[in-house]
Amino acid sequence: DAGVTQSPTHLIKTRGQQVTLRCSPISGHKSVSWYQQVLGQGPQFIFQYYEKEERGRGNFPDRFSARQFPNYSSELNVNALLLGDSALYLCASSWWGRVYGYTFGSGTRLTVV
Amino acid sequence: KNEVEQSPQNLTAQEGEFITINCSYSVGISALHWLQQHPGGGIVSLFMLSSGKKKHGRLIATINIQEKHSSLHITASHPRDSAVYICAVRRIGKLVFGAGTILRVKS
């Protein structure tokens, strides 16, 4: 079985641009979460989606948005990129409704210049 | 004060040593996770705990719900154990992470 796949693996963007990151969960997992990890820090929660609906949102500005598709894959969009958005963006998939473990993707390394 | 605190921040050990990484949290949780992150970023889930103790190979994780504390132990450490170990608590459906412990095991 494929694990959680994220694309692209690396990305360089210029300040002010927009970026879309993609995540495909493990087959059968209906919940996808997004996390931002700045160098030297632990990941920070951005969004959680289940059945195409937003179920949780972290303390991030409105420049950050996400959606989940009928096949449970997800996209994270960031508009008007700032230098501080440079980070590793991690996607995790899980079951919903009970306390199950998470499976993480390898992340997308975003560099804003 | 962060909701999840880990100690130590950095740890260097000699191959074969017994290692302990600690995690304290200040909020109610439904589960606690120990994760391993290697250079390059990929995160691997090691344990999910809601009570007691779990063991997998040379890794042991314990949690004390009353004291809001968990420990990750590595027995007979090996250079391949070198990584960042992160404690994360599950709270209201999301994970809240500690800052991680950078472990380096020297041969």
Side-chain angles (χ1 to χ4, degrees):
Chain A
D1 279 343
V4 176
T5 56
Q6 290 188 245
S7 63
T9 54
H10 295 83
L11 200 53
I12 299 175
K13 289 285 190 179
T14 304
R15 274 182 300 175
Q17 285 188 314
Q18 177 263 344
V19 68
T20 298
L21 311 180
R22 295 176 177 83
C23 172
S24 293
I26 283 181
S27 177
H29 284 186
K30 297 183 178 182
S31 179
V32 170
S33 304
W34 287 96
Y35 296 85
Q36 180 197 64
Q37 186 177 24
V38 174
L39 197 62
Q41 298 180 19
Q44 297 289 320
F45 172 73
I46 311 176
F47 286 109
Q48 183 173 38
Y49 275 78
Y50 171 68
E51 290 288 11
K52 296 170 286 180
E53 290 188 9
E54 182 182 303
R55 299 301 182 111
R57 183 183 183 118
N59 188 24
F60 280 80
D62 290 343
R63 299 185 295 108
F64 288 76
S65 63
R67 54 180 175 168
Q68 187 177 34
F69 299 96
N71 66 354
Y72 305 110
S73 67
S74 177
E75 285 182 352
L76 175 70
N77 295 283
V78 187
N79 294 322
L81 285 166
L82 303 174
L83 295 179
D85 296 329
S86 295
L88 179 69
Y89 289 85
L90 293 159
C91 171
S93 76
S94 66
W95 296 97
W96 179 265
R98 292 173 61 183
V99 180
Y100 288 99
Y102 292 81
T103 302
F104 286 84
S106 297
T108 294
R109 175 78 61 188
L110 172 65
T111 302
V112 182
V113 298
Chain B
K1 188 177 187 294
N2 293 334
E3 289 181 314
V4 181
E5 297 277 358
Q6 279 186 243
S7 64
Q9 289 183 308
N10 290 277
L11 182 55
T12 300
Q14 286 295 132
E15 184 174 357
E17 285 186 356
F18 180 85
I19 289 165
T20 296
I21 300 171
N22 295 300
C23 175
S24 297
Y25 53 93
S26 57
V27 295
I29 68 170
S30 53
L32 182 143
H33 299 255
W34 281 103
L35 309 163
Q36 181 192 57
Q37 186 171 35
H38 281 279
I43 288 181
V44 173
S45 181
L46 299 174
F47 294 103
M48 183 180 70
L49 295 161
S50 53
S51 65
K53 176 179 173 178
K54 286 189 176 180
K55 184 175 188 290
H56 181 71
R58 295 181 294 107
L59 301 178
I60 303 167
T62 64
I63 187 168
N64 184 318
I65 297 293
Q66 287 73 30
E67 295 185 4
K68 293 185 167 60
H69 181 269
S70 176
S71 293
L72 175 69
H73 305 286
I74 304 175
T75 62
S77 59
H78 189 277
R80 65 175 174 267
D81 297 326
S82 299
V84 178
Y85 292 83
I86 304 174
C87 168
V89 299
R90 181 173 174 141
R91 173 167 169 72
I92 318 173
K94 68 177 185 181
L95 288 179
V96 179
F97 292 79
T101 294
I102 302 172
L103 171 65
R104 180 181 171 212
V105 182
K106 296 194 287 188
S107 58

